Amino acid sequence: MRHGVMPMELGLAHQLFRQARGADGRALYEVVTCAVAPGPVRTDADFPIDVGRGPEALDTAVTVLVPATHDPGATDSTGLLPADLAAALARIRPGTRVASICTGAFVLAAAGLLDGRRATTHWKSADLFRRLFPAVRLDPDVLYVDEGDVLTSAGEASGIDLCLHLIRRDHGAAVAADVARATVVPPHREGGQAQFVRRPVAAPGVGATGQARAWALRHLDRPLTLGELAARETMSVRTFNRRFREETGLTPMRWLALQRVDRARELLETTDLTVDRVAADAGFGTGTSLRQHFQAALGVSPAAYRRTFRGTGDIPA
C-alpha cells in the first residue's frame, strides 16, 4: 500500500475476507495490511491510516492484493516502479497469487506481472494503461479478469466482485454466498459482465426484465428459450434482448448459462447427487453437457470441483 490509497478498496478486502468462515466457524483467511514502510499512509480522504507492517509481510503472503492509489508516484510516466515499491514486490514468493483493484493494475503491469496476459482496470484509465503497457492484453469492458495466479479488476465495486470470486474459488459458492449475504451485496457477478451498463444491474424480480429472470431461476431445470423469456415480460424478442443487456450487461442466454453453472456448483457442494442428476436439475440435460460447461466456465470437471469443496471421492456415475 502506498500514499493516496482509497480507503474503500482497502476496507472492502478486510470486510469480505475476514467474514469468510468454515463450517466450524473458524476464520478462513488472515488479512494483513502492509506498506512500503510502516507508519502513517495518506489516503485520498481527509484521514491517514497507520500501517504497522512493512514489506516483510509479503515474504509469507499466500495472496497479495494491490488496491488503487491516487498517488502519481505509484508508477512514473514511463510505467516504471519507484525503487522502494519494486523492492517490496520483489519479496513476493514465486507462485504467490497476486490481484489488483482498479488502477492497482498499473503496479502489477509495471512489475511485469501482466505481460502477455489479459487484464483490466478502470475504464477511465484504459488509454493511459495501453500507452504505458502495450505488452498487456487490456480488456477495459469487463468487471474482472482471472488469469489463474494473477487477477485484475475494474473500479471499486468490481473489487467486491473480485474478492467474492477469490473466496468462491478457494472455498466454494456456499461460503462466498454467506459473505455476500452478510455484506448485503450480490453473491456473484460474472467477470465478463460489462463495466458500464445503461441501467444499474437489478436483482431478479426488479427492472424491466426482472420478472423473467426471477421466473427463469425457478425453472432452470427446463429448456428455456429467448422467446419464452420475452413473453414473460410481454415484449418482442428484440426488445427483451436489448433491455436485458442494458440491465445486466449480458445476453439472456449467457446469463442463463451462468445461473445454471451456479446451480450445479451448489448441488455439487451440498448434495451427493450423481453428475447426470445434477445436470438435469441445473438444466444442462446431460452429464456430458454439464462437464463441457463446467470446464469452460471454471477450468475443472464437476468431479474435481466436488473433491475440492467437499473432500469426497468421485461423483457417482
Side-chain angles (χ1 to χ4, degrees):
M1 186 173 69
R2 287 182 60 85
H3 292 299
V5 67
M6 302 171 72
M8 178 179 174
E9 295 189 3
L10 183 63
L12 70 85
H14 279 268
Q15 177 79 357
L16 295 168
F17 286 110
R18 293 181 69 174
Q19 288 192 90
R21 301 278 168 172
D24 58 359
R26 65 183 176 85
L28 297 175
Y29 298 93
E30 178 187 6
V31 184
V32 173
T33 300
C34 68
V36 292
V41 175
R42 296 191 310 275
T43 70
D44 74 338
D46 63 348
F47 57 85
I49 296 173
D50 189 16
V51 180
R53 301 285 296 274
E56 74 282 349
L58 298 175
D59 296 349
T60 57
V62 176
T63 298
V64 175
L65 182 61
V66 180
T69 175
H70 285 173
D71 180 7
T75 60
D76 65 20
S77 60
T78 63
L80 299 176
L81 292 173
D84 58 350
L85 183 54
L89 295 177
R91 303 181 72 136
I92 299 173
R93 295 172 298 172
T96 298
R97 184 170 63 185
V98 183
S100 66
I101 300 176
C102 195
T103 56
F106 280 71
V107 174
L108 301 191
L113 297 174
L114 299 180
D115 287 354
R117 296 176 183 257
R118 283 185 65 239
T120 193
T121 190
H122 195 287
W123 60 270
K124 286 186 176 180
S125 301
D127 289 342
L128 175 59
F129 190 97
R130 283 197 178 100
R131 289 197 300 272
L132 293 178
F133 310 111
V136 181
R137 293 186 290 122
L138 182 69
D139 187 347
D141 297 324
V142 298
L143 295 179
Y144 58 87
V145 173
D146 183 344
E147 287 282 286
D149 59 340
V150 180
L151 302 93
T152 51
S153 63
E156 291 169 312
S158 63
I160 296 174
D161 299 315
L162 176 66
C163 291
L164 289 173
H165 173 71
L166 288 170
I167 294 170
R168 187 181 306 108
R169 224 178 77 170
D170 292 343
H171 301 289
V175 173
D178 285 344
V179 173
R181 189 178 305 113
T183 317
V184 197
V185 296
H188 183 212
R189 290 200 297 170
E190 166 68 11
Q193 182 173 306
Q195 283 192 32
F196 176 79
V197 291
R198 290 181 60 186
R199 293 180 176 85
V201 178
V206 180
T209 64
Q211 295 301 321
R213 283 181 279 128
W215 179 81
L217 290 176
R218 296 193 299 270
H219 298 87
L220 287 178
D221 59 323
R222 292 180 44 183
L224 303 176
T225 66
L226 184 56
E228 195 172 13
L229 293 173
R232 304 298 303 185
E233 303 289 1
T234 320
M235 294 181 187
S236 69
V237 168
R238 181 177 180 179
T239 299
F240 179 82
N241 190 55
R242 175 174 56 80
R243 295 297 293 274
F244 197 100
R245 295 192 67 165
E246 289 174 353
E247 290 188 344
T248 69
L250 299 167
T251 66
M253 292 299 103
R254 175 61 176 161
W255 177 88
L256 189 60
L258 292 173
Q259 306 314 307
R260 286 176 164 152
V261 169
D262 279 348
R263 176 67 58 82
R265 279 177 162 178
E266 177 186 357
L267 294 173
L268 291 168
E269 291 179 23
T270 60
T271 75
D272 293 317
L273 296 176
T274 66
V275 69
D276 286 338
R277 179 62 186 276
V278 169
D281 287 358
F284 287 115
T286 67
T288 298
S289 178
L290 171 61
R291 292 184 186 95
Q292 291 172 344
H293 280 86
F294 226 74
Q295 189 70 40
L298 305 177
V300 297
S301 68
Y305 185 86
R306 176 172 272 170
R307 282 195 298 270
T308 298
F309 295 113
R310 296 194 66 197
T312 60
D314 291 338
I315 297 176

